[in-house]
């Protein structure tokens, strides 16, 4: 394995290496001090060349690196670290980006499991909302940008609670002519989080649905405490993967089904874009989700009830007494019912003598009835 940079190494007369913060088979990440901007620290991602590549392949790889690093430098989103510089030195390529403080989800999950539980669904869905924002932004670039290495250790939570999708070591852009991906840095990802089509490496056909699979695998892991079976094992043994809800019954059916949808083996059976997955995860769900959020121990409603338990008890008792009083039947006697007489109208015959021709005109004339005393029933 290639040697890493030692502390106090200065790159490009500007970036002084402070410490190694991560290392993989294809490169390393360092925390460095920016000597031109006092007090600023940055992350320097070092990409190692393929030792088996020919000189022509190395030249093409470097041209590709510069082309796609410039694409990353144009990305500007609150859930992505800002790439500020890129260069080559000593046959190695470097990306310089914001250094993100805080803990990654792998560390946070480990802490939660040591306390006897995975991460809470309510909090995980809030983080997923931010991750979907970042991926929607990347996937709608021209050309679209894929991350291709989404996993708990590449998702950091800042002290302010902001999600940052870090480590662009495997970032790719989609070529608009044939919809195939072009790699920035050689790599394969982590098997538990990559779809089957990504096993082909740079020859595999990956698109936005590959990132959707990786996000689903990440959510599966942090909600259940264990990663899903890798795609190759699932291919050899269909229906071998347990559902998230079978491992953690506290997960709502809506979240369970959305994660399983994102983890479909064939890309055509997954959500077509990140918006579809986001809707499946975060759209208003059944009553069970509302109730679980309402009575979560950290929910504002629960905290209010806990702080005002005595006052709410008194109020409840008063309401109960008021409801009992208003529900009692009335004991006041009603006045007696009296019969109302019905007036009778009879027609009478009227003779008009003064006409030249005597006519008898029958007219109906109303006659006022005599008063009738009320009769007690």
């Amino acid at each position: 394995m290639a040697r890493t940079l030692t502390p106090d190494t200065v790159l490009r007369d500007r970036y002084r290496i402070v410490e190694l913060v991560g290392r993989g088979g294809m490169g390393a990440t360092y925390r460095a001090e920016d000597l031109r901007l006092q007090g600023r620290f940055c992350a320097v991602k070092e990409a190692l060349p393929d030792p088996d590549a020919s000189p022509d392949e190395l030249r093409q790889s470097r041209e590709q690196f510069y082309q796609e690093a410039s694409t990353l430098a144009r990305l500007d989103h609150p859930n992505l670290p800002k790439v500020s510089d890129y260069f080559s030195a000593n046959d190695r390529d470097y990306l310089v980006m914001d250094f993100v403080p805080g803990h990654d989800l792998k560390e946070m999950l480990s802490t939660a499991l040591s306390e006897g539980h995975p991460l809470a669904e309510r909090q995980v869905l809030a983080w997923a909302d931010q991750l979907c924002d970042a991926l929607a932004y990347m996937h709608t670039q021209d050309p679209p940008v894929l991350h291709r290495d989404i996993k708990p250790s590449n998702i950091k939570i800042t002290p302010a609670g902001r999600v940052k999708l870090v480590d662009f070591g495997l970032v790719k852009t989609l070529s608009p002519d044939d919809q195939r991906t072009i790699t920035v840095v050689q790599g394969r990802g982590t098997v538990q989080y990559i779809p089957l089509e990504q096993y082909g490496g740079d020859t595999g056909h990956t698109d936005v649905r590959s990132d959707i699979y990786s996000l689903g695998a990440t959510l599966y892991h942090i909600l259940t405490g264990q990663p899903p079976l890798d795609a190759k094992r699932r291919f050899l043994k269909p229906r071998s993967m347990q559902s998230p809800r079978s491992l953690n019954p506290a997960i709502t059916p809506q979240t369970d089904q959305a994660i399983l949808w994102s983890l479909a083996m064939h890309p055509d059976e997954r959500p077509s874009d990140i918006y579809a997955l986001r809707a499946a995860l975060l759209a208003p769900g059944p009553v069970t989700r509302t109730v679980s959020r309402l009575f979560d121990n950290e929910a504002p409603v629960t905290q209010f009830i806990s702080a005002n338990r005595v006052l709410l008890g008194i109020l409840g008792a008063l309401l109960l007494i008021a409801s009992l009083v208003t529900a009692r039947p009335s004991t006041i006697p009603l006045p007696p019912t009296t019969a109302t007489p019905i007036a009778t109208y009879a027609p009478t015959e009227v003779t008009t003598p003064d006409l030249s021709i005597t006519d008898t005109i029958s007219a109906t004339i109303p006659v006022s009835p005599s008063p009738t005393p009320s009769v007690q029933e």
Side-chain angles (χ1 to χ4, degrees):
M1 183 176 288
R3 295 179 58 186
T4 58
L5 301 176
T6 58
D8 293 326
T9 299
V10 177
L11 299 172
R12 214 183 190 190
D13 298 325
R14 178 173 181 176
Y15 307 106
R16 183 180 67 84
I17 302 300
V18 176
E19 60 179 339
L20 175 71
V21 295
R23 181 175 182 175
M26 307 308 296
T29 303
Y30 305 90
R31 179 170 174 262
E33 180 185 7
D34 190 335
L35 299 179
R36 295 186 190 176
L37 300 175
Q38 186 176 4
R40 176 181 182 256
F41 289 88
C42 53
V44 176
K45 176 73 178 182
E46 178 185 51
L48 302 178
D50 185 350
D52 299 324
S54 65
D56 187 55
E57 290 173 334
L58 290 175
R59 179 186 58 79
Q60 292 179 1
S61 176
R62 178 144 299 166
E63 290 176 355
Q64 182 179 299
F65 169 81
Y66 275 97
Q67 176 185 354
E68 297 183 6
S70 65
T71 299
L72 295 180
R74 291 194 294 269
L75 297 181
D76 188 8
H77 190 274
N79 298 117
L80 301 175
K82 179 64 178 175
V83 175
S84 56
D85 199 1
Y86 52 94
F87 57 90
S88 298
N90 301 320
D91 295 326
R92 299 182 182 185
D93 300 320
Y94 295 91
L95 282 174
V96 181
M97 59 190 73
D98 295 337
F99 182 81
V100 180
H103 298 285
D104 61 53
L105 290 186
K106 181 180 179 181
E107 297 169 332
M108 297 178 71
L109 175 62
S110 178
T111 300
L113 291 177
S114 68
E115 298 172 355
H117 57 82
L119 295 173
E121 180 183 9
R122 182 178 61 88
Q123 182 61 76
V124 168
L125 292 179
W127 292 331
D129 191 18
Q130 296 187 51
L131 288 168
C132 288
D133 269 345
L135 290 175
Y137 173 80
M138 293 173 63
H139 293 172
T140 54
Q141 296 300 299
D142 186 19
V145 177
L146 309 183
H147 190 280
R148 297 184 78 243
D149 198 21
I150 301 171
K151 57 186 177 181
S153 60
N154 282 345
I155 300 169
K156 298 193 74 172
I157 311 299
T158 69
R162 173 79 66 179
V163 171
K164 293 283 187 177
L165 182 57
V166 301
D167 197 345
F168 288 86
L170 301 181
V171 162
K172 287 194 170 191
T173 58
L174 284 175
S175 177
D177 55 349
D178 63 2
Q179 292 297 297
R180 296 182 70 82
T181 51
I182 307 171
T183 185
V184 173
V185 180
Q186 301 293 322
R188 298 294 180 266
T190 305
V191 293
Q192 293 95 335
Y193 310 100
I194 63 172
L196 195 61
E197 66 268 20
Q198 198 168 322
Y199 276 76
D202 302 324
T203 61
H205 182 98
T206 54
D207 57 24
V208 298
R209 295 169 297 180
S210 303
D211 275 352
I212 288 173
Y213 182 100
S214 297
L215 177 58
T218 296
L219 298 178
Y220 184 108
H221 190 175
I222 62 179
L223 283 171
T224 66
Q226 66 182 60
L229 291 177
D230 64 80
K232 186 178 293 186
R233 291 174 62 189
R234 293 176 58 201
F235 175 78
L236 296 174
K237 191 177 180 181
R239 295 183 295 276
S240 58
M241 186 180 70
Q242 294 179 272
S243 70
R245 191 169 164 82
S246 68
L247 297 173
N248 179 5
I251 299 173
T252 59
Q254 178 175 340
T255 298
D256 179 80
Q257 292 302 312
I259 292 175
L260 291 176
W261 187 23
S262 69
L263 289 174
M265 290 292 291
H266 197 284
D268 291 344
E269 297 176 353
R270 299 176 206 147
S272 58
D273 54 41
I274 199 65
Y275 300 104
L277 175 59
R278 184 179 191 171
L281 281 169
L282 303 175
V287 176
T288 52
R289 168 167 289 179
T290 303
V291 172
S292 66
R293 288 182 178 180
L294 183 63
F295 291 100
D296 187 282
N297 289 333
E298 298 179 1
V301 173
T302 305
Q303 294 176 359
F304 174 81
I305 293 175
S306 178
N308 300 275
R309 189 175 302 167
V310 175
L311 178 61
L312 292 174
I314 296 174
L315 180 61
L318 292 175
L319 290 174
L320 178 61
I321 293 172
S323 64
L324 292 175
V325 170
T326 56
R328 294 179 60 189
S330 175
T331 57
I332 301 175
L334 296 175
T337 302
T338 58
T340 302
I342 301 174
T344 303
Y345 301 91
T348 184
E349 185 177 82
V350 179
T351 302
T352 307
D354 296 334
L355 296 177
S356 57
I357 300 176
T358 303
D359 295 317
T360 301
I361 302 174
S362 295
T364 302
I365 301 175
V367 178
S368 299
S370 299
T372 305
S374 300
V375 179
Q376 183 69 37
E377 291 183 350

